[in-house]
Amino acid sequence: LDGATQVDFLSCMSHVCVELSKSEIRSFRYAACLCGYALLGSLVRVHQSLDETNAVLTKQLRAVGHSAAKKNQRRDLNKRLQECHERSNTIDTHMKNLFQELVIVRFRDVAPQIRALTIRWVGIWVVQHPKKFLSDGYLKYVAWSLNDKDAQVRLAAVQALKQVYQRHAAAARGGDADADEDDTGPNNNSSFSNLSALDLLTQRFSGRFVELVKDVNEQVCVNALDLVLSLAEAQLIDVS
């Protein structure tokens, strides 16, 4: 497939998922979200790969320098770097559109199963591609769901945040002993060592994290306790 065909396919699939997610039939909305989030997850993996390629090409370009003898090599690297930027920008546009039209809307769906599904996927993307998603602009949707009236949504939010903070703790240790390599893809701790990325979230919601240890739902309590311990391990809160 050429580039135009790929873009048309992505646009078509995104449109189908978004439109089906507006159905009054809950099972249709759930299926649409499942497909849409899987599609967005694929885009996230591609975007992360392009970021890594961009970093490698930039490093190679710097190594080449401005030597006249390496003019052709420098031109080739610049061309590949430009192509990488263009592809990354295209993928980024599709990611933003899907997030705005699907995630932000279904995050408030009347069905708790759909709300929980949405929050689980946001957590996956944050862990999978922290350079893009580890920010208040995305984490706030997970944090807001800590106050959801349905226990399965609160549980999804706590579990998502637990993974994020455990990755942060692992990065601070320089290892990854506590982070599982499941459906979130390969471990990527490089962007989790930056304390400021989680500082605002911790300041605003650490009190709620502690409150959830006494939640009426047992699973929420257990996972909230793990979350608080992860916070303490990363030295983000004082539990003494």
Side-chain angles (χ1 to χ4, degrees), residues 46-206:
V46 173
H47 193 272
Q48 181 186 21
S49 177
L50 289 171
D51 271 359
E52 294 170 354
T53 301
N54 178 75
V56 171
L57 290 174
T58 300
K59 185 177 181 180
Q60 292 176 344
L61 190 60
R62 289 173 179 170
V64 169
H66 300 283
S67 172
K70 297 182 178 180
K71 179 180 179 181
N72 291 336
Q73 184 180 358
R74 186 167 58 251
R75 182 173 60 245
D76 179 62
L77 286 171
N78 276 317
K79 181 181 178 181
R80 291 169 59 190
L81 194 59
Q82 180 62 31
E83 292 174 349
C84 185
H85 278 306
E86 291 175 355
R87 290 186 62 195
S88 181
N89 290 337
T90 299
I91 295 298
D92 189 59
T93 298
H94 282 285
M95 287 167 53
K96 288 179 179 178
N97 290 341
L98 260 180
F99 196 92
Q100 291 174 357
E101 297 179 14
L102 196 60
V103 176
I104 294 179
V105 177
R106 291 308 121 197
F107 147 78
R108 297 186 178 90
D109 196 279
V110 295
Q113 298 91 339
I114 294 177
R115 298 200 302 273
L117 176 69
T118 301
I119 295 308
R120 280 196 296 270
W121 272 98
V122 174
I124 287 172
W125 299 325
V126 171
V127 173
Q128 182 178 324
H129 193 3
K131 183 179 178 181
K132 172 70 178 178
F133 289 93
L134 187 61
S135 69
D136 181 65
Y138 295 102
L139 286 173
K140 65 183 181 183
Y141 296 103
V142 182
W144 288 341
S145 296
L146 295 171
N147 296 311
D148 197 281
K149 62 183 179 181
D150 192 278
Q152 65 180 304
V153 183
R154 297 197 302 276
L155 178 61
V158 171
Q159 289 176 332
L161 290 173
K162 182 175 69 171
Q163 280 197 330
V164 171
Y165 280 109
Q166 284 179 341
R167 284 294 174 90
H168 181 280
R173 293 194 307 270
D176 199 21
D178 295 332
D180 297 327
E181 190 170 329
D182 46 25
D183 56 352
T184 60
N187 294 328
N188 181 9
N189 283 338
S190 59
S191 298
F192 276 91
S193 58
N194 183 11
L195 179 62
S196 62
L198 290 172
D199 190 48
L200 179 60
L201 179 77
T202 306
Q203 289 180 15
R204 292 175 60 188
F205 295 99
S206 59

